[in-house]
Amino acid sequence: MYKFFLVSSLFKKGLIFKLKNNNLNWNNYKVSELFTITRGIVIPKTELKECINEEYKYPVYSSQTSNNGILGYDNKYDFEGKYLTWTTDGANAGKVFYRNGKFRCTNVCGVLYNNKNEYVNELTAELLNYITPKHVSYVGNPKLMNNVMANINIKLPNVNESNKVSNILNIINTKIDKENNKLTSLQELKKGLMQSMFV
């Protein structure tokens, strides 16, 4: 399992590195030139369900990066469509995710989007994850605020090429998520078996 994650991570890095080195037509942008920047709201965890069900089916993303950043599930949503989110506060400040669907965000989760959905994809998320750690403030609680994110420079290929690479990355990340879910299920099974042995 660990070998799969390692190979997948190296493949993604290699793909992006090769793409950048073989293409001189990448353009430099400020994040604020591409995206509208906002963030979530305060959402008490007590209002959420830990597991998804028919009523509480919309993920709520927060500052954590485990479980794909999901804090819990709600019965309503604030965002619908393609977005990039990032952790604004805490140990994981600067971590960027690609989101597609209906969801909510807490106040420690930043949101990037545009009306054309241009560059709102896996490739941009991966590239930002190489850059954002350099912009996190480590004075006190680590932070990457909206105004700092707005001024980050990022180099990107044309929209069509960006979407092609993102589709490949999406397939890899979907496979990783499935393997993660399998691993979690196996760990829960192991935990249950160990507990039953000592009852």
Side-chain angles (χ1 to χ4, degrees):
M1 191 77 73
Y2 173 75
K3 184 181 282 189
F4 168 78
F5 293 131
L6 181 61
V7 169
S8 298
S9 178
L10 291 173
F11 178 79
K12 286 197 295 184
K13 287 180 180 178
L15 177 65
I16 293 168
F17 180 79
K18 185 176 181 181
L19 182 67
K20 288 177 81 171
N21 281 353
N22 291 349
N23 194 323
L24 301 177
N25 297 320
W26 286 43
N27 293 311
N28 199 47
Y29 302 95
K30 272 189 178 181
V31 167
S32 59
E33 292 175 334
L34 296 173
F35 304 111
T36 297
I37 304 169
T38 186
R39 64 192 298 173
I41 60 173
V42 175
I43 303 173
K45 192 173 182 181
T46 52
E47 294 181 2
L48 308 178
K49 300 295 183 186
E50 190 174 329
C51 297
I52 192 170
N53 61 42
E54 281 191 18
E55 183 182 359
Y56 286 76
K57 56 187 176 182
Y58 304 113
V60 177
Y61 300 114
S62 189
S63 61
Q64 65 186 35
T65 56
S66 60
N67 194 28
N68 200 30
I70 298 174
L71 178 67
Y73 294 89
D74 207 337
N75 59 356
K76 53 186 175 289
Y77 60 89
D78 298 323
F79 301 97
E80 180 179 7
K82 295 181 179 181
Y83 294 83
L84 299 176
T85 69
W86 87 93
T87 300
T88 61
D89 295 69
N92 303 307
K95 175 66 177 173
V96 181
F97 294 91
Y98 167 66
R99 311 292 189 189
N100 188 0
K102 299 175 180 177
F103 62 93
R104 300 190 81 194
C105 282
T106 71
N107 60 309
V108 288
C109 184
V111 181
L112 305 174
Y113 68 97
N114 62 52
N115 293 331
K116 293 182 179 179
N117 285 329
E118 290 182 349
Y119 297 117
V120 188
N121 55 34
E122 295 277 10
L123 178 61
T124 306
E126 292 284 346
L127 291 171
L128 279 172
N129 277 321
Y130 291 118
I131 303 166
T132 52
K134 302 170 189 172
H135 297 271
V136 173
S137 170
Y138 291 98
V139 179
N141 190 36
K143 293 180 185 298
L144 182 60
M145 296 293 96
N146 291 32
N147 62 316
V148 178
M149 175 62 89
N151 287 305
I152 288 177
N153 288 300
I154 181 170
K155 263 194 164 183
L156 294 165
N158 65 60
V159 173
N160 289 336
E161 191 165 8
S162 174
N163 288 334
K164 286 177 186 176
V165 176
S166 292
N167 289 336
I168 296 170
L169 293 174
N170 190 47
I171 291 167
I172 296 168
N173 288 335
T174 299
K175 179 66 174 172
I176 289 172
D177 287 343
K178 285 181 180 177
E179 295 299 324
N180 262 327
N181 290 336
K182 285 182 190 176
L183 181 60
T184 300
S185 297
L186 287 171
Q187 287 171 335
E188 289 297 320
L189 177 61
K190 177 185 172 184
K191 183 180 176 182
L193 288 171
M194 294 299 291
Q195 287 175 340
S196 65
M197 287 174 64
F198 295 100
V199 171

